């Protein structure tokens, strides 16, 4: 709830437009269980600004791209972080980053 209270009036459109002028690839990775951001609206906005420079992936994650159970339950999150840290992020999140970065020409 603190995130929402701090950011409900935020609009990053001007910043995104400034980045779009640089003609660089952009990757939007969103969690399909994000309760803080309307991911459909976010994707539409990014697509309208970045066009063909944009790639998008959605994973079964929360706002932080963590698995929803990990984000929703502090005890589960702590235990997972200690015992199996690779399971913190939603399946596909790390692979999505890797694919995007591997596709960028040096």
């Amino acid at each position: 709830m603190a995130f929402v209270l701090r950011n409900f009036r935020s609009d990053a459109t001007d910043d995104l437009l400034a980045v779009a002028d640089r003609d660089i690839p952009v990757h939007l990775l969103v969690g399909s269980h994000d309760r803080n951001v309307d991911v459909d609206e976010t994707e539409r906005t990014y697509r309208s600004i970045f066009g063909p420079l944009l790639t998008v992936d959605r994973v079964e994650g929360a706002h932080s791209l963590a698995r929803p159970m990990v984000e929703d339950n502090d005890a589960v999150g702590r235990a997972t972080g200690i015992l199996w840290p690779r399971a913190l992020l939603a399946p596909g999140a790390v692979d999505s980053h890797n694919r995007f970065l591997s596709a960028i020409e040096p």
Side-chain angles (χ1 to χ4, degrees):
M1 188 63 155
F3 174 88
V4 174
L5 292 175
R6 281 193 315 272
N7 295 291
F8 77 99
R9 291 187 185 179
S10 296
D11 184 352
T13 305
D14 289 341
D15 295 327
L16 296 173
L17 290 167
V19 171
D21 287 343
R22 296 180 182 197
D23 210 31
I24 58 173
V26 175
H27 186 59
L28 176 63
L29 178 57
V30 294
S32 58
H33 298 279
D34 193 327
R35 292 185 302 252
N36 298 323
V37 174
D38 180 337
V39 295
D40 292 328
E41 177 188 20
T42 299
E43 182 175 342
R44 280 192 305 275
T45 300
Y46 272 61
R47 284 195 186 284
S48 72
I49 292 171
F50 295 108
L53 293 171
L54 178 69
T55 57
V56 178
D57 275 327
R58 291 184 183 212
V59 295
E60 292 293 315
H63 183 74
S64 65
L65 300 179
R67 295 171 188 258
M69 181 188 300
V70 169
E71 186 163 289
D72 292 342
N73 186 311
D74 288 340
V76 170
R78 276 193 212 97
T80 303
I82 293 167
L83 301 172
W84 193 20
R86 291 178 184 241
L88 288 170
L89 289 178
V94 173
D95 291 337
S96 175
H97 281 293
N98 286 338
R99 275 191 310 275
F100 173 71
L101 293 174
S102 295
I104 296 175
E105 295 181 24

XYZ file of all heavy atoms in Angstrom:
822
model
N 0.811 -1.192 0.000
C 0.000 0.000 0.000
C 0.862 1.266 0.000
O 0.470 2.265 -0.598
C -0.924 -0.041 1.216
C -1.930 1.055 1.210
S -3.012 0.910 -0.206
C -4.417 1.718 0.334
N 2.025 1.191 0.634
C 2.900 2.364 0.673
C 3.337 2.769 -0.726
O 3.409 3.955 -1.042
C 4.114 2.091 1.556
N 3.611 1.779 -1.589
C 3.997 2.063 -2.968
C 2.897 2.863 -3.669
O 3.159 3.853 -4.338
C 4.271 0.760 -3.725
C 4.543 0.969 -5.187
C 5.830 1.224 -5.638
C 3.519 0.916 -6.122
C 6.087 1.430 -6.982
C 3.764 1.121 -7.476
C 5.054 1.383 -7.897
N 1.678 2.402 -3.513
C 0.546 3.059 -4.168
C 0.397 4.489 -3.662
O 0.227 5.425 -4.451
C -0.754 2.260 -3.951
C -1.947 3.011 -4.498
C -0.646 0.883 -4.598
N 0.488 4.686 -2.369
C 0.344 6.026 -1.803
C 1.436 6.973 -2.295
O 1.183 8.153 -2.535
C 0.333 5.959 -0.279
C -0.900 5.292 0.333
C -0.741 5.160 1.846
C -2.167 6.067 0.000
N 2.651 6.460 -2.442
C 3.752 7.297 -2.911
C 3.669 7.589 -4.404
O 4.199 8.590 -4.875
C 5.099 6.608 -2.631
C 5.589 6.711 -1.218
C 7.058 6.285 -1.104
N 7.391 5.070 -1.829
C 7.285 3.830 -1.349
N 6.826 3.634 -0.126
N 7.625 2.785 -2.075
N 3.044 6.711 -5.173
C 3.178 6.794 -6.619
C 1.895 6.933 -7.420
O 1.959 6.985 -8.650
C 3.918 5.543 -7.120
C 5.329 5.506 -6.611
O 6.155 6.302 -7.013
N 5.604 4.581 -5.701
N 0.748 7.012 -6.774
C -0.493 6.982 -7.541
C -0.652 8.164 -8.490
O -1.397 8.086 -9.459
C -1.726 6.805 -6.643
C -2.162 8.033 -5.920
C -3.207 8.805 -6.408
C -1.573 8.411 -4.726
C -3.640 9.934 -5.736
C -1.992 9.524 -4.045
C -3.030 10.290 -4.551
N 0.043 9.245 -8.276
C -0.031 10.397 -9.184
C 1.186 10.492 -10.111
O 1.300 11.438 -10.889
C -0.154 11.684 -8.388
C -1.486 11.810 -7.691
C -1.637 13.148 -7.050
N -2.896 13.152 -6.303
C -3.331 14.158 -5.605
N -2.624 15.269 -5.534
N -4.476 14.092 -4.971
N 2.068 9.540 -10.024
C 3.280 9.565 -10.842
C 2.958 9.313 -12.303
O 2.074 8.537 -12.637
C 4.264 8.500 -10.356
O 4.692 8.788 -9.056
N 3.722 9.967 -13.159
C 3.595 9.759 -14.593
C 4.993 9.874 -15.191
O 5.594 10.947 -15.202
C 2.665 10.798 -15.209
C 2.421 10.575 -16.689
O 3.092 9.703 -17.298
O 1.572 11.280 -17.244
N 5.514 8.775 -15.663
C 6.876 8.733 -16.195
C 6.929 8.968 -17.697
O 7.980 8.814 -18.317
C 7.509 7.394 -15.850
N 5.827 9.373 -18.299
C 5.761 9.510 -19.753
C 6.843 10.433 -20.301
O 7.506 10.104 -21.292
C 4.367 9.998 -20.191
O 3.381 9.107 -19.672
C 4.249 10.056 -21.695
N 7.062 11.579 -19.673
C 8.086 12.505 -20.178
C 9.476 11.875 -20.137
O 10.274 12.055 -21.059
C 8.083 13.812 -19.379
C 6.859 14.662 -19.660
O 6.200 14.454 -20.711
O 6.540 15.529 -18.824
N 9.766 11.138 -19.072
C 11.062 10.459 -18.972
C 11.196 9.382 -20.047
O 12.260 9.211 -20.643
C 11.238 9.842 -17.588
C 11.314 10.890 -16.493
O 11.845 11.992 -16.755
O 10.855 10.602 -15.380
N 10.122 8.636 -20.288
C 10.154 7.609 -21.331
C 10.362 8.229 -22.709
O 11.121 7.712 -23.529
C 8.867 6.786 -21.301
C 8.626 5.966 -20.037
C 7.238 5.337 -20.075
C 9.697 4.909 -19.847
N 9.701 9.343 -22.961
C 9.874 10.031 -24.243
C 11.320 10.494 -24.431
O 11.865 10.423 -25.540
C 8.919 11.214 -24.348
C 7.442 10.845 -24.504
C 6.557 12.066 -24.267
C 7.180 10.235 -25.879
N 11.941 10.954 -23.368
C 13.342 11.380 -23.446
C 14.249 10.198 -23.780
O 15.196 10.338 -24.565
C 13.769 12.026 -22.128
N 13.968 9.041 -23.222
C 14.757 7.844 -23.527
C 14.513 7.409 -24.966
O 15.432 6.987 -25.674
C 14.422 6.701 -22.540
C 15.054 5.393 -22.969
C 14.868 7.067 -21.132
N 13.282 7.493 -25.426
C 12.937 7.066 -26.788
C 13.731 7.835 -27.828
O 14.049 7.300 -28.893
C 11.437 7.225 -27.025
N 14.080 9.076 -27.544
C 14.872 9.885 -28.475
C 16.280 9.331 -28.674
O 16.959 9.700 -29.618
C 14.965 11.328 -27.988
C 13.661 12.078 -28.158
O 12.795 11.606 -28.925
O 13.492 13.123 -27.501
N 16.717 8.462 -27.787
C 18.079 7.912 -27.878
C 18.156 6.693 -28.783
O 19.232 6.172 -29.025
C 18.596 7.578 -26.492
C 18.741 8.823 -25.645
C 19.236 8.510 -24.288
N 19.293 9.739 -23.522
C 19.975 9.868 -22.431
N 20.651 8.858 -21.948
N 19.974 11.005 -21.786
N 17.014 6.201 -29.223
C 16.973 5.104 -30.187
C 17.708 3.855 -29.691
O 18.535 3.292 -30.399
C 17.548 5.586 -31.519
C 16.919 4.867 -32.686
O 15.739 4.496 -32.580
O 17.608 4.675 -33.697
N 17.399 3.440 -28.454
C 18.011 2.245 -27.888
C 16.929 1.198 -27.600
O 15.777 1.549 -27.351
C 18.790 2.555 -26.585
C 17.871 3.191 -25.532
C 19.991 3.435 -26.863
C 18.504 3.373 -24.180
N 17.289 -0.078 -27.636
C 16.305 -1.115 -27.336
C 15.853 -1.038 -25.877
O 16.652 -0.735 -24.982
C 17.036 -2.421 -27.611
C 18.426 -2.085 -27.935
C 18.586 -0.608 -27.966
N 14.590 -1.321 -25.653
C 13.998 -1.284 -24.312
C 13.246 -2.587 -24.092
O 12.545 -3.065 -24.977
C 13.032 -0.081 -24.171
C 12.308 -0.108 -22.831
C 13.779 1.223 -24.350
N 13.414 -3.145 -22.909
C 12.722 -4.387 -22.556
C 11.813 -4.122 -21.363
O 12.270 -3.660 -20.329
C 13.749 -5.462 -22.198
C 13.141 -6.802 -21.951
N 12.407 -7.471 -22.904
C 13.159 -7.597 -20.866
C 12.004 -8.627 -22.408
N 12.440 -8.719 -21.178
N 10.537 -4.384 -21.534
C 9.565 -4.244 -20.456
C 9.253 -5.636 -19.935
O 8.754 -6.485 -20.665
C 8.294 -3.574 -20.974
C 7.135 -3.443 -19.976
C 7.529 -2.549 -18.803
C 5.898 -2.902 -20.681
N 9.571 -5.871 -18.682
C 9.301 -7.149 -18.039
C 8.342 -6.875 -16.889
O 8.668 -6.126 -15.967
C 10.601 -7.766 -17.525
C 10.513 -9.084 -16.784
C 9.850 -10.160 -17.631
C 11.908 -9.535 -16.370
N 7.142 -7.435 -16.981
C 6.112 -7.162 -15.981
C 5.582 -8.464 -15.399
O 5.617 -9.508 -16.043
C 4.941 -6.336 -16.567
C 5.404 -4.947 -16.964
C 4.293 -7.043 -17.737
N 5.088 -8.346 -14.185
C 4.461 -9.481 -13.524
C 2.960 -9.463 -13.748
O 2.309 -8.431 -13.581
N 2.412 -10.588 -14.131
C 0.976 -10.658 -14.409
C 0.125 -10.570 -13.144
O -1.084 -10.422 -13.227
C 0.650 -11.937 -15.181
O 1.055 -13.071 -14.440
N 0.766 -10.637 -11.985
C 0.041 -10.527 -10.709
C 0.379 -9.218 -9.990
O 0.322 -9.148 -8.768
C 0.375 -11.716 -9.800
C -0.025 -13.031 -10.376
N -1.303 -13.512 -10.307
C 0.686 -13.953 -11.053
C -1.368 -14.684 -10.906
N -0.173 -14.975 -11.374
N 0.715 -8.204 -10.747
C 1.078 -6.900 -10.174
C -0.184 -6.197 -9.694
O -1.062 -5.870 -10.489
C 1.790 -6.065 -11.227
C 2.466 -4.843 -10.655
O 1.951 -4.264 -9.682
O 3.508 -4.452 -11.198
N -0.263 -5.952 -8.407
C -1.421 -5.249 -7.837
C -1.205 -3.740 -7.807
O -2.124 -2.987 -7.514
C -1.680 -5.753 -6.417
C -2.163 -7.171 -6.345
C -2.500 -7.547 -4.923
N -1.363 -7.391 -4.040
C -0.666 -8.385 -3.510
N -0.987 -9.615 -3.777
N 0.347 -8.149 -2.717
N 0.010 -3.287 -8.107
C 0.330 -1.873 -8.000
C 0.277 -1.123 -9.323
O 0.180 0.097 -9.337
C 1.737 -1.697 -7.402
C 1.826 -2.265 -6.015
O 0.890 -2.171 -5.231
N 2.946 -2.885 -5.704
N 0.395 -1.830 -10.423
C 0.498 -1.200 -11.737
C -0.447 -1.907 -12.695
O -0.538 -3.128 -12.705
C 1.956 -1.307 -12.252
C 2.063 -0.800 -13.677
C 2.907 -0.550 -11.344
N -1.120 -1.140 -13.527
C -1.949 -1.701 -14.585
C -1.000 -2.084 -15.719
O -0.559 -1.236 -16.499
C -2.971 -0.669 -15.052
C -3.873 -1.163 -16.158
O -3.498 -2.114 -16.882
O -4.967 -0.593 -16.312
N -0.649 -3.368 -15.799
C 0.367 -3.794 -16.762
C -0.109 -3.665 -18.198
O 0.710 -3.445 -19.100
C 0.901 -5.215 -16.456
C 1.644 -5.231 -15.124
C -0.186 -6.244 -16.465
N -1.405 -3.783 -18.448
C -1.916 -3.596 -19.811
C -1.717 -2.150 -20.263
O -1.253 -1.887 -21.370
C -3.393 -3.975 -19.908
C -3.629 -5.465 -19.727
O -2.753 -6.267 -20.114
O -4.690 -5.825 -19.184
N -2.065 -1.220 -19.394
C -1.877 0.196 -19.720
C -0.389 0.521 -19.877
O 0.001 1.260 -20.784
C -2.493 1.093 -18.649
C -2.268 2.558 -18.909
C -2.694 3.459 -17.767
O -2.821 2.975 -16.622
O -2.875 4.652 -18.030
N 0.421 -0.030 -19.000
C 1.861 0.202 -19.075
C 2.411 -0.297 -20.405
O 3.164 0.409 -21.085
C 2.580 -0.493 -17.906
O 2.098 0.062 -16.681
C 4.089 -0.323 -17.989
N 2.009 -1.499 -20.798
C 2.488 -2.038 -22.076
C 2.025 -1.176 -23.248
O 2.807 -0.881 -24.159
C 2.029 -3.475 -22.270
C 2.541 -4.075 -23.560
C 2.204 -5.535 -23.738
O 1.858 -6.221 -22.759
O 2.283 -5.993 -24.908
N 0.765 -0.753 -23.241
C 0.268 0.111 -24.322
C 1.085 1.401 -24.409
O 1.446 1.861 -25.501
C -1.213 0.444 -24.107
C -2.164 -0.632 -24.541
C -3.598 -0.150 -24.570
N -4.060 0.420 -23.315
C -4.556 -0.289 -22.296
N -4.661 -1.609 -22.388
N -4.965 0.312 -21.192
N 1.357 1.996 -23.265
C 2.123 3.247 -23.239
C 3.528 3.023 -23.782
O 4.010 3.791 -24.622
C 2.181 3.814 -21.805
O 0.854 4.067 -21.357
C 2.995 5.088 -21.750
N 4.189 1.988 -23.309
C 5.544 1.696 -23.784
C 5.544 1.428 -25.288
O 6.418 1.896 -26.009
C 6.127 0.499 -23.034
C 6.836 0.847 -21.749
C 6.175 1.453 -20.693
C 8.179 0.562 -21.580
C 6.808 1.757 -19.516
C 8.842 0.867 -20.403
C 8.153 1.471 -19.372
O 8.802 1.770 -18.204
N 4.571 0.661 -25.769
C 4.504 0.353 -27.206
C 4.300 1.630 -28.031
O 4.905 1.797 -29.095
C 3.389 -0.637 -27.498
C 3.734 -2.049 -27.103
C 2.792 -3.068 -27.718
N 3.070 -4.388 -27.200
C 4.094 -5.154 -27.560
N 4.953 -4.702 -28.442
N 4.268 -6.351 -27.037
N 3.465 2.541 -27.524
C 3.221 3.774 -28.275
C 4.460 4.667 -28.298
O 4.667 5.415 -29.249
C 2.022 4.538 -27.706
O 2.342 5.126 -26.467
N 5.290 4.581 -27.292
C 6.482 5.430 -27.211
C 7.680 4.797 -27.916
O 8.389 5.457 -28.672
C 6.823 5.746 -25.739
C 5.735 6.638 -25.141
C 8.200 6.390 -25.619
C 5.840 6.847 -23.652
N 7.910 3.508 -27.682
C 9.136 2.868 -28.178
C 8.951 2.087 -29.475
O 9.929 1.765 -30.144
C 9.727 1.951 -27.107
C 10.188 2.690 -25.896
C 9.492 2.597 -24.705
C 11.304 3.497 -25.947
C 9.904 3.287 -23.586
C 11.734 4.195 -24.833
C 11.030 4.090 -23.647
N 7.714 1.770 -29.835
C 7.458 1.061 -31.095
C 8.299 -0.191 -31.249
O 8.381 -1.013 -30.345
N 8.980 -0.320 -32.391
C 9.735 -1.542 -32.662
C 10.985 -1.728 -31.796
O 11.583 -2.799 -31.804
C 10.114 -1.412 -34.144
C 10.054 0.036 -34.434
C 9.011 0.611 -33.518
N 11.371 -0.712 -31.067
C 12.524 -0.851 -30.164
C 12.174 -1.608 -28.887
O 13.047 -1.956 -28.106
C 13.070 0.529 -29.777
C 13.703 1.331 -30.899
C 13.991 2.745 -30.425
C 14.966 0.644 -31.384
N 10.886 -1.874 -28.684
C 10.411 -2.481 -27.438
C 10.217 -3.984 -27.583
O 9.660 -4.462 -28.564
C 9.074 -1.851 -27.032
C 8.430 -2.413 -25.770
C 9.228 -2.027 -24.536
C 6.995 -1.951 -25.656
N 10.677 -4.701 -26.564
C 10.295 -6.099 -26.381
C 9.586 -6.185 -25.040
O 9.881 -5.423 -24.115
C 11.498 -7.054 -26.394
O 12.430 -6.654 -25.389
C 12.178 -7.070 -27.758
N 8.630 -7.105 -24.944
C 7.823 -7.234 -23.730
C 7.732 -8.695 -23.344
O 7.526 -9.562 -24.189
C 6.388 -6.686 -23.944
C 5.546 -6.857 -22.690
C 6.429 -5.229 -24.366
N 7.887 -8.966 -22.069
C 7.634 -10.288 -21.510
C 6.804 -10.121 -20.244
O 7.006 -9.170 -19.480
C 8.927 -11.017 -21.144
C 9.547 -11.755 -22.307
O 8.785 -12.242 -23.174
O 10.777 -11.867 -22.347
N 5.892 -11.053 -20.073
C 5.097 -11.120 -18.845
C 5.411 -12.436 -18.162
O 5.446 -13.473 -18.813
C 3.604 -11.057 -19.140
C 3.166 -9.711 -19.655
C 1.681 -9.667 -19.847
N 1.290 -8.384 -20.415
C 0.154 -7.792 -20.156
N -0.740 -8.358 -19.375
N -0.132 -6.630 -20.701
N 5.635 -12.365 -16.870
C 5.893 -13.572 -16.097
C 4.848 -13.675 -14.997
O 4.193 -12.697 -14.641
C 7.319 -13.582 -15.502
C 8.369 -13.634 -16.604
C 7.563 -12.378 -14.598
N 4.697 -14.865 -14.464
C 3.739 -15.112 -13.381
C 4.328 -14.593 -12.070
O 4.663 -15.369 -11.177
C 3.424 -16.610 -13.288
C 2.650 -17.146 -14.460
C 1.248 -16.567 -14.516
O 0.567 -16.495 -13.476
O 0.827 -16.176 -15.622
N 4.472 -13.288 -11.986
C 5.083 -12.673 -10.829
C 4.295 -11.481 -10.339
O 3.345 -11.026 -10.974
N 4.747 -10.982 -9.210
C 4.149 -9.799 -8.597
C 4.890 -8.556 -9.095
O 5.690 -8.635 -10.026
C 4.238 -9.922 -7.080
N 4.643 -7.414 -8.465
C 5.268 -6.161 -8.877
C 6.792 -6.262 -8.877
O 7.460 -5.742 -9.769
C 4.813 -5.026 -7.947
C 5.348 -3.694 -8.332
N 4.878 -2.990 -9.418
C 6.333 -2.942 -7.797
C 5.538 -1.853 -9.525
N 6.431 -1.800 -8.564
N 7.333 -6.943 -7.908
C 8.784 -7.084 -7.780
C 9.352 -8.168 -8.686
O 10.556 -8.406 -8.683
C 9.138 -7.427 -6.332
O 8.607 -8.713 -6.014
N 8.479 -8.843 -9.437
C 8.803 -10.002 -10.265
C 9.100 -11.236 -9.423
O 9.567 -12.247 -9.927
C 9.931 -9.714 -11.250
C 9.646 -8.593 -12.239
C 10.840 -8.372 -13.152
C 8.397 -8.891 -13.061
N 8.819 -11.147 -8.132
C 8.908 -12.321 -7.273
C 7.676 -13.190 -7.498
O 6.643 -12.717 -7.991
C 8.979 -11.911 -5.803
N 7.803 -14.441 -7.138
C 6.632 -15.313 -7.168
C 5.595 -14.717 -6.215
O 5.947 -14.237 -5.137
C 7.002 -16.714 -6.710
C 7.970 -17.411 -7.634
C 8.457 -18.715 -7.004
N 9.516 -19.293 -7.782
C 9.364 -20.319 -8.618
N 8.176 -20.869 -8.766
N 10.384 -20.787 -9.298
N 4.329 -14.714 -6.579
C 3.309 -14.101 -5.723
C 3.327 -14.631 -4.290
O 3.198 -13.853 -3.342
C 1.997 -14.437 -6.434
C 2.378 -14.531 -7.865
C 3.758 -15.156 -7.863
N 3.500 -15.933 -4.103
C 3.502 -16.482 -2.745
C 4.649 -15.908 -1.919
O 4.502 -15.639 -0.731
C 3.615 -18.004 -2.778
C 3.589 -18.619 -1.379
S 3.931 -20.380 -1.328
C 2.629 -21.029 -2.329
N 5.777 -15.698 -2.554
C 6.948 -15.145 -1.869
C 6.689 -13.709 -1.462
O 7.046 -13.280 -0.371
C 8.190 -15.254 -2.782
C 9.351 -14.461 -2.239
C 8.571 -16.714 -2.974
N 6.061 -12.940 -2.357
C 5.800 -11.539 -2.050
C 4.671 -11.378 -1.033
O 4.695 -10.453 -0.225
C 5.456 -10.768 -3.329
C 5.320 -9.276 -3.055
C 5.401 -8.449 -4.306
O 6.500 -8.354 -4.874
O 4.367 -7.887 -4.696
N 3.697 -12.264 -1.075
C 2.522 -12.129 -0.214
C 2.724 -12.626 1.208
O 1.932 -12.302 2.086
C 1.329 -12.875 -0.828
C 0.834 -12.221 -2.097
O 1.161 -11.040 -2.328
O 0.118 -12.893 -2.864
N 3.746 -13.421 1.434
C 3.926 -14.038 2.739
C 5.366 -13.842 3.195
O 6.281 -14.458 2.641
C 3.569 -15.524 2.646
C 3.574 -16.217 3.976
O 4.523 -16.092 4.738
N 2.527 -16.973 4.242
N 5.570 -12.993 4.224
C 6.923 -12.685 4.699
C 7.690 -13.935 5.118
O 8.880 -14.068 4.826
C 6.878 -11.697 5.864
C 6.511 -10.296 5.420
O 6.658 -9.985 4.222
O 6.073 -9.504 6.278
N 7.029 -14.850 5.801
C 7.704 -16.065 6.273
C 8.170 -16.915 5.089
O 9.299 -17.414 5.075
C 6.782 -16.873 7.181
N 7.307 -17.062 4.105
C 7.673 -17.838 2.914
C 8.809 -17.134 2.175
O 9.764 -17.770 1.712
C 6.459 -18.043 1.982
C 6.880 -18.631 0.646
C 5.417 -18.923 2.654
N 8.728 -15.822 2.069
C 9.784 -15.063 1.407
C 11.122 -15.211 2.100
O 12.146 -15.438 1.451
N 11.144 -15.104 3.413
C 12.393 -15.266 4.167
C 12.947 -16.679 4.017
O 14.134 -16.865 3.763
C 12.169 -14.950 5.646
C 12.248 -13.494 5.948
C 12.347 -13.240 7.457
N 11.685 -11.989 7.714
C 10.433 -11.849 8.138
N 9.694 -12.879 8.402
N 9.922 -10.654 8.320
N 12.082 -17.661 4.197
C 12.530 -19.055 4.101
C 13.068 -19.344 2.699
O 14.115 -19.981 2.541
C 11.391 -20.004 4.447
N 12.383 -18.871 1.680
C 12.827 -19.096 0.302
C 14.160 -18.404 0.058
O 15.066 -18.975 -0.552
C 11.771 -18.605 -0.703
O 10.537 -19.260 -0.436
C 12.200 -18.880 -2.134
N 14.286 -17.185 0.549
C 15.533 -16.439 0.380
C 16.720 -17.117 1.034
O 17.839 -17.067 0.515
N 16.491 -17.771 2.128
C 17.569 -18.459 2.842
C 17.847 -19.842 2.248
O 18.993 -20.214 2.011
C 17.228 -18.590 4.342
C 17.231 -17.190 4.974
C 18.211 -19.512 5.058
C 16.615 -17.141 6.353
N 16.781 -20.607 2.019
C 16.938 -22.003 1.625
C 17.030 -22.232 0.107
O 17.650 -23.189 -0.347
C 15.782 -22.831 2.188
C 15.658 -22.808 3.713
C 14.380 -23.493 4.152
C 16.879 -23.456 4.347
N 16.384 -21.383 -0.681
C 16.330 -21.594 -2.129
C 16.196 -20.252 -2.835
O 15.184 -19.955 -3.462
C 15.151 -22.516 -2.453
C 15.117 -23.067 -3.829
C 16.138 -23.190 -4.735
C 13.951 -23.575 -4.492
N 15.691 -23.754 -5.892
C 14.348 -24.008 -5.781
C 12.625 -23.722 -4.117
C 13.458 -24.562 -6.675
C 11.748 -24.269 -5.021
C 12.158 -24.689 -6.281
N 17.215 -19.404 -2.761
C 17.109 -18.040 -3.287
C 16.784 -17.972 -4.776
O 16.156 -17.017 -5.227
C 18.470 -17.416 -2.992
C 19.361 -18.521 -2.586
C 18.517 -19.669 -2.156
N 17.154 -18.962 -5.540
C 16.843 -18.943 -6.979
C 15.348 -19.046 -7.234
O 14.885 -18.756 -8.327
C 17.575 -20.057 -7.703
C 19.060 -19.819 -7.760
C 19.766 -20.972 -8.443
N 21.189 -20.770 -8.409
C 21.938 -20.660 -9.484
N 21.380 -20.731 -10.677
N 23.221 -20.476 -9.375
N 14.592 -19.456 -6.230
C 13.140 -19.595 -6.388
C 12.385 -18.314 -6.026
O 11.164 -18.296 -6.082
C 12.633 -20.757 -5.534
N 13.095 -17.265 -5.657
C 12.417 -16.016 -5.302
C 11.710 -15.384 -6.500
O 10.573 -14.949 -6.401
C 13.409 -15.006 -4.716
C 13.919 -15.296 -3.317
C 15.071 -14.364 -2.963
C 12.801 -15.183 -2.301
N 12.386 -15.329 -7.623
C 11.813 -14.674 -8.803
C 10.855 -15.602 -9.529
O 10.984 -16.815 -9.496
C 12.920 -14.233 -9.757
C 13.773 -13.070 -9.280
C 14.866 -12.762 -10.290
C 12.933 -11.826 -9.030
N 9.915 -14.984 -10.212
C 8.941 -15.734 -10.998
C 9.661 -16.522 -12.092
O 10.673 -16.063 -12.630
C 7.937 -14.769 -11.627
N 9.128 -17.696 -12.416
C 9.725 -18.470 -13.502
C 9.782 -17.646 -14.790
O 8.819 -16.985 -15.157
C 8.770 -19.657 -13.668
C 8.062 -19.772 -12.357
C 7.961 -18.363 -11.828
N 10.922 -17.662 -15.418
C 11.096 -16.952 -16.677
C 11.668 -15.555 -16.548
O 12.104 -14.983 -17.553
N 11.695 -14.976 -15.355
C 12.168 -13.591 -15.208
C 13.644 -13.459 -15.575
O 14.008 -12.583 -16.370
C 11.920 -13.090 -13.786
N 14.480 -14.313 -15.050
C 15.914 -14.231 -15.341
C 16.172 -14.585 -16.807
O 16.961 -13.919 -17.485
C 16.730 -15.133 -14.389
C 18.192 -15.184 -14.799
C 16.598 -14.638 -12.955
N 15.481 -15.596 -17.313
C 15.640 -15.961 -18.722
C 15.240 -14.810 -19.644
O 15.878 -14.586 -20.679
C 14.809 -17.201 -19.058
C 15.344 -18.456 -18.396
O 16.548 -18.490 -18.050
O 14.557 -19.406 -18.214
N 14.201 -14.085 -19.284
C 13.758 -12.945 -20.080
C 14.850 -11.882 -20.162
O 15.154 -11.364 -21.240
C 12.483 -12.345 -19.482
O 12.111 -11.181 -20.172
N 15.444 -11.562 -19.033
C 16.553 -10.596 -19.017
C 17.701 -11.095 -19.889
O 18.260 -10.339 -20.683
C 17.078 -10.373 -17.593
C 16.252 -9.464 -16.776
N 16.111 -8.126 -17.041
C 15.536 -9.699 -15.659
C 15.331 -7.568 -16.135
N 14.959 -8.494 -15.287
N 18.050 -12.361 -19.701
C 19.173 -12.924 -20.456
C 18.933 -12.876 -21.960
O 19.832 -12.530 -22.728
C 19.456 -14.360 -20.014
C 20.122 -14.414 -18.666
O 20.727 -13.455 -18.218
N 19.999 -15.543 -17.994
N 17.726 -13.234 -22.406
C 17.404 -13.190 -23.834
C 17.546 -11.772 -24.386
O 18.123 -11.557 -25.453
C 15.979 -13.701 -24.088
C 15.855 -15.174 -24.222
C 14.478 -15.585 -24.735
N 13.366 -14.988 -24.012
C 12.840 -15.469 -22.896
N 13.334 -16.560 -22.345
N 11.817 -14.871 -22.321
N 16.998 -10.818 -23.638
C 17.069 -9.427 -24.101
C 18.526 -8.955 -24.201
O 18.938 -8.409 -25.216
C 16.277 -8.518 -23.157
C 16.448 -7.062 -23.466
C 15.884 -6.509 -24.605
C 17.160 -6.240 -22.608
C 16.054 -5.155 -24.901
C 17.325 -4.892 -22.893
C 16.770 -4.351 -24.034
N 19.281 -9.192 -23.158
C 20.672 -8.720 -23.152
C 21.523 -9.441 -24.185
O 22.407 -8.835 -24.800
C 21.260 -8.884 -21.749
C 20.625 -7.983 -20.681
C 21.170 -8.327 -19.308
C 20.823 -6.519 -21.004
N 21.257 -10.707 -24.401
C 22.026 -11.470 -25.401
C 21.731 -10.995 -26.822
O 22.571 -11.143 -27.706
C 21.683 -12.957 -25.292
O 22.117 -13.458 -24.054
N 20.571 -10.445 -27.047
C 20.174 -10.007 -28.385
C 20.728 -8.630 -28.745
O 20.705 -8.244 -29.926
C 18.655 -9.981 -28.501
N 21.242 -7.916 -27.770
C 21.780 -6.568 -28.032
C 23.169 -6.707 -28.639
O 24.026 -7.381 -28.095
C 21.834 -5.730 -26.737
C 20.436 -5.504 -26.192
C 22.528 -4.399 -27.002
C 20.419 -4.807 -24.865
N 23.350 -6.057 -29.762
C 24.674 -6.081 -30.408
C 25.630 -5.182 -29.645
O 25.277 -4.062 -29.280
C 24.550 -5.621 -31.847
C 23.735 -6.559 -32.696
C 23.649 -6.095 -34.135
O 24.545 -5.348 -34.572
O 22.689 -6.493 -34.799
N 26.865 -5.671 -29.427
C 27.852 -4.844 -28.689
C 28.293 -3.635 -29.471
O 28.182 -3.498 -30.615
C 29.028 -5.793 -28.448
C 28.753 -7.040 -29.188
C 27.368 -6.962 -29.770
